[in-house]
Amino acid sequence: MDIDILKHLNKKQKEAVINYIGPTVILAGAGSGKTRVLVSKVIYLVKEKKIHPSTIIMLTFTNKAAAEMKERINQQLGGTTHLGFVGTYHSFCVRILRTYANEAGLDRNFIIYDDNDQKTLIKQIISERKLEKKTPGYFSYYISLAKNQMITPENFLENFKFHQSALVADVYYHYQKKMAANKGVDFDDLLIMTTQLFQKDKSVLGRLQNKYEYFLIDEFQDTNLVQYILTKLLAEKSKNVTVVGDFSQSIYSWRGADITNLKKFEKDFPGSKTFHLEENYRSTQKILDFAFNIISKNNTHPILHLFTSNQQGEDVTFYQADNEQAEAIYVAEEITRLISANTELELPNFAVLYRTNAQSRVLEEVLIRYAIPYILVGGTRFYERKEIKDILAYLKLLLNPNESVSLERVLKIGKTRFAKFKILYEEVKDKIDSFTTEELMEKIFESVGFLKMFDSEDPDDFSRLENIKELKSVAVSFPKLLEFLEQVALVESEYSQHEKETRNNRRLVLMTLHQAKGLEFDHVFIVGVEEGLLPHSRSIDDQFQLEEERRLFYVGITRAKKTLYITNTRKRFIFGSQGYSTPSRFISDEPVY
């Protein structure tokens, strides 16, 4: 045996790598080296077992992960190695559908619709069918959810029971009709049509089953029903399929990930061998112990008890601030203190994680004040978010109806809404000072139907509504409209100056807990660990969703390598209202009811 292939692996990793015949489940905990194991298994197959690379398929969820695995394989095998396929499920399906377009009932030059294309198509349907009360995002969310479960427009109502389900089914039907007329497919269709092709054309499936013999599936906990069926069909002949994942990090049920796929796999591939990778190479033992205490309260999925040969490390730091401003100041001052005490520390060694995008506002304003460069990963600065800029444009026009930049923006929102706004302006123009900023904001919402542009049942729109509510928090603090707009302008001006001064500096990372998955940092702050935020208020009455919120917290905890800070507040002014806060049930000794 080529010792080089296995010498950097621990005992459990080696066992998982050399078990290459038949179905294999690798439960790989956070920081346990799952990518190393996947890559090593490919190297082992090619170098030790003389398996031809073209018979091996590796499927993952991001192009970045696929590129990293390709690079590592090529480095270890010395040159470019052409595996059968390495990439995302969607990329694999595009390849199949281009090759077998006729068999799949597609035009060979089919067009792939991205999210924006989808929403544009749905807008056309909304307009044609005069469905003004719903947003494109609302329909695209449910259509995608249905497709992830292979539910067609015809059987939508059999599977979804909610207030507007008949309306969604109708839009779904016309959406598919228009998509076919346009010779288009969306990303969900890529998966469904490939799966359907395999199910109905056994000759195509047989060719691929003969061509590919070894299947390695990354992030198995994130697979939806269609991806699972697709994997099962491809691997049912050779049965040489390895699935790798950590069900404690399953946080995407809202976009179709099915945590029950592990049980399906064990049933559909009897005799599968399971390997537990529990040695962690990332965090201190105290962080891992805290993570286990949190996640072990879940009971619907396998729980790994991680250990490490790293140092025991420092205790997890808990800090309760008086309010959200004090919480942000604590974070800023603690980061400043740590960097002052250790000149080798840099800002990118730190991450501040939070549950909702709206929580970034206070953090941003405090970090600007403390001259700490930051970057919002996967997000937009609070006052640059579209819904915020739209509201600010309306408010500016109340003070100056001839302000051209705001006028142009408001006209783009819609001429009908602008006409309604002009009526409001005539009603309030001579008594602006008699209304608070919050009252004027509410009048705009009511008169132009601003909030009706968003749907709380669409996750993206729900986040936008939270941002709008957070803007009301600023409005309450600055009741005079002029003072409010001055405050916003000052923050934006300070940010611009801050940006110029720190452009070349490395930055502190701010992101939501969802965006943090797959990353790691020396020092992690998780802020707002309170009832209503984490777990989120929308999850509190649903045991399944509560478990997912706990997994989300677990993901945040296991990003930390050296130190972990958990913060909350005694009272919080967020989403436009102030109230007393309760520490999250996840960190309380007794359940919160």
Side-chain angles (χ1 to χ4, degrees), residues 61 89 103 173 213 216 220 222 236 244 248 274 296 346 432:
F61 279 80
Y89 273 94
E103 291 86 344
Y173 170 79
E213 295 181 42
L216 293 91
F220 185 64
D222 293 336
E236 66 184 0
V244 183
S248 294
T274 300
S296 61
E346 293 182 309
I432 289 285

Side-chain angles (χ1 to χ4, degrees), residues 243-386:
V243 299
V244 183
D246 179 8
F247 286 81
S248 294
Q249 296 187 69
S250 179
I251 58 173
Y252 297 122
S253 68
W254 50 275
R255 66 185 191 198
D258 187 350
I259 201 167
T260 66
N261 281 348
L262 178 63
K263 289 180 181 177
K264 292 192 189 91
F265 184 88
E266 291 170 339
K267 179 183 176 183
D268 290 332
F269 293 93
S272 61
K273 293 183 179 178
T274 300
F275 300 89
H276 295 74
L277 304 186
E278 295 178 299
E279 183 169 0
N280 175 281
Y281 294 92
R282 176 188 298 158
S283 307
T284 65
Q285 190 61 52
K286 286 193 174 179
I287 289 172
L288 296 178
D289 289 343
F290 176 63
F292 179 74
N293 288 338
I294 296 297
I295 199 63
S296 61
K297 306 294 192 301
N298 279 7
N299 55 31
T300 60
H301 56 87
I303 306 293
L304 299 173
H305 201 155
L306 303 181
F307 65 92
T308 185
S309 58
N310 294 338
Q311 295 178 349
Q312 279 289 106
E314 300 177 22
D315 289 335
V316 175
T317 299
F318 296 90
Y319 181 79
Q320 186 174 60
D322 187 53
N323 54 42
E324 69 279 4
Q325 289 280 345
E327 179 184 49
I329 288 169
Y330 170 76
V331 171
E333 291 187 344
E334 187 65 10
I335 290 170
T336 302
R337 182 188 71 79
L338 289 169
I339 290 177
S340 298
N342 184 350
T343 54
E344 293 183 5
L345 269 182
E346 293 182 309
L347 286 171
N349 298 132
F350 295 83
V352 183
L353 311 179
Y354 38 83
R355 176 63 179 86
T356 69
N357 277 304
Q359 288 171 261
S360 78
R361 181 188 68 83
V362 176
L363 288 162
E364 289 183 69
E365 293 183 10
V366 168
L367 292 171
I368 289 170
R369 201 185 315 155
Y370 277 76
I372 296 176
Y374 69 88
I375 181 170
L376 271 168
V377 176
T380 306
R381 289 189 292 117
F382 184 80
Y383 289 114
E384 287 297 309
R385 293 168 190 167
K386 181 183 182 300

Side-chain angles (χ1 to χ4, degrees), residues 88-103:
T88 65
Y89 273 94
H90 293 95
S91 299
F92 176 73
C93 290
V94 170
R95 176 188 286 192
I96 299 301
L97 292 176
R98 291 290 183 206
T99 305
Y100 297 102
N102 291 336
E103 291 86 344

